[in-house]
Amino acid sequence: MDELTEAYVKWKYNFNLSDNFNEEYSFKIDAVNIYTLEKEVCIHRSENTKAAVALVSAGYLGTSPEFPSLAISLQTLELYYTLRLFKPSFSVEAFAKALCHLYSIPFRRGYRTGLSDTFDVYLAIRRRIDSQVAKELGHEGANYCVLNSCPACCYKLEDEPELEFSRMWVVDGNNSLKRMAGIGNREVSDTRIFGESDYYLSEDFVNIYAGEIKARPLARNIEDEDPDELQSDWVDEEHGDPTDGIEDSELAQCTENWKAAAADQQKKMWGIFHESGYFASACRHGFVLWVADMIRSGELAKYPLAIVAKALGVLPPRWLMGYDIGCSFGGTILCSSLGPEFAKQKCRTCVNAFHGYSHNAACQQKYHPLNILGMGLEDLETLERLFSSSNQLAPLIRYMTAYRRRVFIDIFLQQWDQEKYQNLATMLHNNYVQALNILEDEAKALQADLLAKGITIEDLETYFVEESNHLKEIGKEAEGDLHAVAYVELLQRYRELSSACDNAAADFRSQTPADYEFLASAASYSRNLSDGRRAETKRRYLREQRDKTLFEVVQMETAMSISPRWEPTDREYIETIEYMNTRKYRQALERLYKLVIQRLFELHKMNLSFTGYKMRTHISNALQRRSKAIRNAVKTYNSAAAAIGQLTLDWVKVTHYSFLDQFNVLQDTRHSILDKKWADPVVRHLMKQHRQVARAKEEIQHCNIQIRRLQTSIFDEDKKFQKVLEHLKDTSMYFPVHDFINRRRAVNQLLLSRIYQTQALPGFTGNRNPGVREGSGPPTSTSVPMNLDLPDPDSDDGEDAEDDEIVDGMGAVIEYMSNLST
Ligand SMILES: [Zn+2]
Ligand SMILES: [Zn+2]
């Protein structure tokens, strides 16, 4: 392999090719070259050169190391590699077919296999060169990438203001990168494990956290159950999921929603897939930190826990982690062996913006990004973007070997990070502009509205506290109420049984016909006899039931000191019936809410494109079922609401995003909240606006710091590049390192131009001069290196990052999705 790599570098950089060769050892071989379309090449070599090495020196790679029958040109492989970087779904087979087409020969499976095997070797050579380049640049060490790849997160400068959180990052699982288990004998023939990735956590490491959390079953509603899909098919009874660590009644709703959504996605998938997806983590700028394969399971607690373990060991303290079930997962971490370290490092969890809206109001107050001090305008949706991009790989890797699957995911992630780097200044620029706009528009509107309403910012803060105190009360039923309900229910049952008894007695009498002695037919006689017996049995049974119930009624009356017995016209009786109706109403509302949330989850996870046909059908069936269930739930809700004089809903409104916000107001029936300030829609809007303005101010502070970090790192990097190149002069490594540096410099140029654009914004408040990296000693020179061709700060390249627009305006996305397939 070393020889091949060396030969490759020589070929690639056109370097030292004047090897002596001996005609006697030259050979001819069938060749594939997309540029020349030649069918055969003659390879020259010297006596001691191996065929494989001679091939590489000539710009070819053999399909087998010892006795290659076919040679594929390195340029052809490079072209395929490059195409794949930008179109990850472009398969080896498609490329092989394209080659066959150009060569005017029919495609055969063997070509695909040959190309695929050769491409493996090509990739191995590339990886070797990349790691040598990294070594020359000092980019080495176990956690180098996590600690350095994102300058905005990692390049901490001296004397910079302390931020609330040292890092903001996210984790989430994605189940589109599945791989079928044991396809024929391919699995057996390729037992390699790809361990060269900077991103991958090993299965063994993940399994350290397997036994930490025990599974707790989901309290399922029987009505939701699909009779074809039994719970036992997919529930892992031993290993807990990320919500299993805690029992917090405030978050019970979140936990249940999450479990239900997760369960629906995983049904019956484990059997056929070995890797059932992957679990990823990334910083707020999108740079990938660690990933782990999910093996024959859904989102178990061990995956995020393993990543948290890494973060606690590698990242600086006081980080914040977002996760769609971040609210309960915080508790899960605390119950695990990582709990003490997590608490000691003062780390915390939160929910990402999209999922945040589907969590209940009490949870949102603590865990939604909008309500977290020091959060800035971060929505923590970066993994949604990663997943929607990595979904492109799904159809390709489903049938690959485990080794190749990882290789391709690794290449994908590297390219992803490259693009994130290239986009970093634009991302910060856009955030800056967004924050300035909020401060310009929203802050002004807020001031004016506060004045008009005659309230202050302090009042708004008080309303938050009042609302959260109020939320704590919701759902807590007074003990006395429950006893009264049980008593009234029992009374109702007793009265029903009493009247049923009376009716049965009347029936029995009517069963005995007055003219029975005149009946001629024996059959008719015996039928009448058995009817009579049945009526008698029923009468006795009812009498027994009635007496038993009466006994229970008396018991309860004694316990509750009730005397005389409540009558339907009594005040207590009427009040309890009203309370029962309210409870029925609340249960109907909660069920409706739960169904709407589940539907949102499904729509969100559906990832409309890149989902296989079968899966799409499965989801759309599930959605139809859910829609039907929602319609029924609306009906039940409306009849319960009418009984207590609450607002009724219509189906169309329920499927809109605004329903989720309305839920918390609808939920209240016991306390009259109409006189509470925070329930006033205008005030609610102001409260939200106030939070947004506060987050925008923080965002400006974040961007000021992070832009300067990026700028400084670019200047420092350039100085280092110059040194490294001088040091490598006249060595073979000079060329690949130079190649790397050239590309990086071009990107840095682009980044700088964007940074200057941000610095030229009218509202820019940051420091325009580069700083000194923390711990890098006294400043040497902060002047701009000469060879960096500085762009004109006013130039506008007009390129905006498409990525960031994808998930912008989550409210609109939810609205859009919820109106789909109704
Ligand atoms: Zn970052
Ligand atoms: Zn929650």
Side-chain angles (χ1 to χ4, degrees):
M1 202 66 213
D2 281 338
E3 283 174 294
L4 288 187
T5 309
E6 201 184 320
Y8 175 84
V9 170
K10 283 182 184 169
W11 165 80
K12 167 106 183 154
Y13 301 102
N14 226 346
F15 157 81
N16 198 14
L17 281 177
S18 60
D19 255 359
N20 293 326
F21 61 83
N22 186 339
E23 207 65 61
E24 219 179 294
Y25 292 96
S26 298
F27 60 94
K28 283 190 173 168
I29 185 166
D30 289 344
V32 175
N33 187 336
I34 197 167
Y35 295 98
T36 61
L37 297 184
E38 66 204 339
K39 290 188 171 151
E40 193 185 61
V41 281
C42 179
I43 305 291
H44 302 295
R45 60 168 167 170
S46 62
E47 188 180 347
N48 300 320
T49 315
K50 288 180 195 149
V53 176
L55 274 171
V56 173
S57 299
Y60 289 86
L61 205 53
T63 46
S64 94
E66 296 301 325
F67 305 103
S69 58
L70 180 72
I72 298 172
S73 85
L74 289 167
Q75 279 178 311
T76 305
L77 294 167
E78 208 148 77
L79 176 69
Y80 177 58
Y81 175 78
T82 314
L83 289 172
R84 274 207 57 115
L85 284 186
F86 301 97
K87 183 74 185 164
S89 57
F90 188 38
S91 67
V92 173
E93 182 164 312
F95 190 63
K97 282 179 178 169
L99 284 170
C100 287
H101 178 80
L102 291 171
Y103 270 93
S104 307
I105 50 170
F107 170 76
R108 277 182 305 166
R109 243 188 83 94
Y111 296 140
R112 197 201 72 98
T113 315
L115 185 63
S116 183
D117 292 343
T118 319
F119 193 59
D120 273 354
V121 180
Y122 172 78
L123 290 176
I125 293 174
R126 281 198 75 102
R127 280 197 299 274
R128 210 158 263 241
I129 294 170
D130 287 347
S131 86
Q132 283 169 6
V133 169
K135 196 173 153 196
E136 296 298 343
L137 291 167
H139 296 174
E140 275 187 306
N143 300 307
Y144 179 83
C145 281
V146 174
L147 290 174
N148 293 278
S149 55
C150 176
C153 280
C154 312
Y155 216 79
K156 208 166 175 238
L157 303 179
E158 275 176 5
D159 305 323
E160 79 188 7
E162 199 69 48
L163 291 174
E164 191 72 25
F165 305 109
S166 68
R167 294 274 183 108
M168 286 183 205
W169 58 284
V170 246
V171 297
D172 200 7
N174 173 276
N175 56 19
S176 52
L177 298 190
K178 291 186 278 287
R179 192 183 66 85
M180 307 289 279
I183 317 279
N185 50 10
R186 259 189 289 165
E187 190 86 325
V188 186
S189 60
D190 188 358
T191 52
R192 295 171 293 172
I193 294 175
F194 182 65
E196 290 171 62
S197 171
D198 282 329
Y199 305 106
Y200 261 102
L201 298 182
S202 72
E203 209 178 324
D204 289 343
F205 181 79
V206 171
N207 281 334
I208 296 176
Y209 303 93
E212 299 251 343
I213 304 295
K214 289 275 165 278
R216 275 196 290 131
L218 166 65
R220 290 214 115 199
N221 197 328
I222 302 296
E223 293 165 62
D224 297 347
E225 211 63 70
D226 182 338
D228 300 337
E229 289 158 340
L230 292 173
Q231 198 167 346
S232 56
D233 282 354
W234 46 267
V235 153
D236 187 328
E237 272 155 11
E238 201 181 328
H239 302 111
D241 69 37
T243 67
D244 283 337
I246 55 155
E247 269 182 79
D248 183 337
S249 61
E250 222 175 62
L251 300 177
Q253 184 82 57
C254 305
T255 307
E256 221 177 282
N257 288 341
W258 186 89
K259 267 184 189 275
D264 273 357
Q265 287 173 50
Q266 286 154 16
K267 276 172 192 161
K268 287 188 174 172
M269 275 184 206
W270 300 355
I272 45 172
F273 297 110
H274 182 79
E275 288 89 347
S276 43
Y278 77 134
F279 218 91
S281 53
C283 79
R284 90 163 184 121
H285 310 96
F287 291 82
V288 178
L289 303 173
W290 296 281
V291 301
D293 277 329
M294 295 197 267
I295 308 284
R296 288 189 188 277
S297 77
E299 269 187 58
L300 296 181
K302 64 180 180 178
Y303 304 114
L305 280 178
I307 290 175
V308 165
K310 269 283 179 190
L312 288 172
V314 177
L315 301 183
R318 283 190 307 102
W319 46 249
L320 169 124
M321 180 192 105
Y323 183 17
D324 57 19
I325 190 65
C327 49
S328 4
F329 186 62
T332 301
I333 299 176
L334 287 170
C335 308
S336 74
S337 63
L338 302 168
E341 192 56 29
F342 180 77
K344 192 179 138 207
Q345 294 197 15
K346 297 197 167 55
C347 302
R348 67 159 293 180
T349 55
C350 75
V351 179
N352 41 353
F354 172 82
H355 285 89
Y357 289 117
S358 65
H359 287 235
N360 68 37
C363 167
Q364 286 194 30
Q365 286 216 341
K366 272 195 234 164
Y367 297 101
H368 194 280
L370 186 65
N371 298 323
I372 294 175
L373 188 80
M375 190 78 208
L377 292 174
E378 185 50 54
D379 62 4
L380 296 176
E381 292 297 342
T382 175
L383 285 178
E384 293 302 323
R385 297 169 192 128
L386 174 75
F387 291 151
S388 87
S389 181
S390 73
N391 283 351
Q392 292 180 70
L393 284 170
L396 279 198
I397 60 177
R398 192 149 298 172
Y399 302 103
M400 278 182 180
T401 64
Y403 174 85
R404 283 210 179 112
R405 173 178 171 280
R406 271 202 188 183
V407 167
F408 283 118
I409 293 178
D410 186 65
I411 294 176
F412 169 81
L413 294 174
Q414 283 183 36
Q415 178 61 21
W416 172 263
D417 275 359
Q418 294 274 344
E419 282 167 19
K420 287 298 112 181
Y421 182 73
Q422 191 167 322
N423 196 35
L424 186 52
T426 305
M427 180 205 168
L428 293 169
H429 179 87
N430 291 345
N431 284 10
Y432 216 106
V433 171
Q434 191 196 1
L436 287 176
N437 285 343
I438 290 174
L439 291 181
E440 175 69 23
D441 304 338
E442 308 280 320
K444 271 186 194 157
L446 177 66
Q447 284 303 331
D449 290 345
L450 285 176
L451 215 65
K453 268 258 167 197
I455 48 178
T456 62
I457 296 277
E458 287 72 37
D459 292 333
L460 293 183
E461 287 296 343
T462 321
Y463 301 152
F464 277 115
V465 178
E466 281 175 16
E467 188 192 1
S468 97
N469 289 340
H470 167 81
L471 289 171
K472 280 183 199 141
E473 288 306 308
I474 286 186
K476 279 186 200 160
E477 291 182 14
E479 189 80 0
D481 289 342
L482 286 178
H483 283 150
V485 169
Y487 175 61
V488 169
E489 276 172 356
L490 209 58
L491 271 185
Q492 281 179 330
R493 177 158 168 72
Y494 170 63
R495 297 215 161 93
E496 269 168 29
L497 283 166
S498 287
S499 71
C501 259
D502 294 347
N503 289 341
D507 278 358
F508 179 64
R509 279 192 297 278
S510 71
Q511 280 289 327
T512 323
D515 53 350
Y516 77 101
E517 51 195 312
F518 302 113
L519 280 172
S521 145
S524 165
Y525 171 77
S526 77
R527 189 190 67 225
N528 276 326
L529 185 69
S530 84
D531 280 355
R533 270 192 197 139
R534 214 175 293 140
E536 168 63 8
T537 317
K538 188 178 163 199
R539 193 170 63 103
R540 267 201 221 157
Y541 170 77
L542 285 171
R543 226 166 40 200
E544 235 170 68
Q545 288 298 311
R546 183 197 60 191
D547 293 345
K548 236 168 82 186
T549 315
L550 180 63
F551 180 69
E552 283 174 47
V553 168
V554 174
Q555 260 187 332
M556 264 198 115
E557 283 170 345
T558 319
M560 291 168 72
S561 337
I562 293 177
S563 168
R565 180 157 307 154
W566 290 4
E567 291 298 323
T569 46
D570 289 348
R571 188 181 50 84
E572 294 100 328
Y573 190 95
I574 294 170
E575 273 178 7
T576 310
I577 291 282
E578 273 170 13
Y579 172 72
M580 282 161 66
N581 283 339
T582 309
R583 201 162 70 135
K584 215 160 137 195
Y585 163 82
R586 270 223 303 265
Q587 282 166 348
L589 177 64
E590 261 160 41
R591 172 159 163 72
L592 179 60
Y593 176 73
K594 210 176 99 183
L595 288 171
V596 171
I597 297 276
Q598 283 177 0
R599 188 155 161 284
L600 280 177
F601 274 145
E602 274 153 9
L603 286 165
H604 184 60
K605 291 277 178 185
M606 192 160 160
N607 279 324
L608 299 154
S609 51
F610 297 119
T611 320
Y613 172 74
K614 262 198 169 154
M615 192 59 205
R616 266 207 312 271
T617 317
H618 174 82
I619 297 176
S620 82
N621 286 342
L623 283 173
Q624 264 168 17
R625 273 206 310 275
R626 191 82 69 209
S627 293
K628 221 165 90 193
I630 293 180
R631 273 175 212 273
N632 289 335
V634 169
K635 244 187 244 159
T636 315
Y637 167 86
N638 281 342
S639 75
I644 61 159
Q646 271 273 356
L647 284 175
T648 53
L649 297 168
D650 72 72
W651 151 252
V652 181
K653 273 195 193 131
V654 167
T655 52
H656 276 67
Y657 161 62
S658 58
F659 171 68
L660 297 184
D661 192 49
Q662 204 188 357
F663 172 73
N664 149 29
V665 174
L666 285 175
Q667 211 180 9
D668 202 288
T669 48
R670 282 206 318 163
H671 319 74
S672 165
I673 52 161
L674 295 174
D675 54 329
K676 299 237 166 71
K677 277 279 196 185
W678 61 260
D680 174 353
V682 178
V683 173
R684 288 193 75 70
H685 176 70
L686 292 180
M687 285 161 74
K688 234 180 195 161
Q689 215 173 18
H690 163 53
R691 285 278 149 109
Q692 222 181 1
V693 169
R695 297 293 88 82
K697 284 182 184 158
E698 291 161 3
E699 186 63 33
I700 296 278
Q701 198 201 7
H702 293 178
C703 289
N704 280 339
I705 291 174
Q706 294 174 354
I707 289 169
R708 193 162 179 244
R709 285 180 182 177
L710 177 60
Q711 187 191 19
T712 312
S713 94
I714 291 174
F715 287 155
D716 290 355
E717 189 170 79
D718 205 70
K719 282 180 232 162
K720 187 165 90 183
F721 284 168
Q722 275 171 302
K723 270 193 205 149
V724 170
L725 284 180
E726 267 165 46
H727 170 75
L728 285 176
K729 233 177 222 167
D730 306 324
T731 69
S732 63
M733 274 316 286
Y734 177 87
F735 300 98
V737 171
H738 187 254
D739 200 4
F740 173 91
I741 288 176
N742 262 359
R743 285 171 189 278
R744 182 83 170 185
R745 273 183 173 154
V747 172
N748 283 346
Q749 199 88 43
L750 188 79
L751 291 175
L752 281 180
S753 80
R754 187 57 101 176
I755 289 175
Y756 294 133
Q757 239 179 334
T758 316
Q759 291 177 342
L761 287 172
F764 182 79
T765 48
N767 187 336
R768 290 185 173 82
N769 298 317
V772 178
R773 187 178 198 179
E774 200 179 60
S776 68
T780 44
S781 148
T782 51
S783 64
V784 177
M786 290 312 291
N787 63 336
L788 259 181
D789 192 9
L790 287 185
D792 176 8
D794 296 327
S795 78
D796 185 14
D797 51 20
E799 266 180 278
D800 273 321
E802 290 164 27
D803 285 358
D804 296 309
E805 281 155 20
I806 295 176
V807 195
D808 266 358
M810 284 321 290
V813 174
I814 300 178
E815 183 102 32
Y816 164 74
M817 295 199 307
S818 28
N819 291 320
L820 277 172
S821 72
T822 46

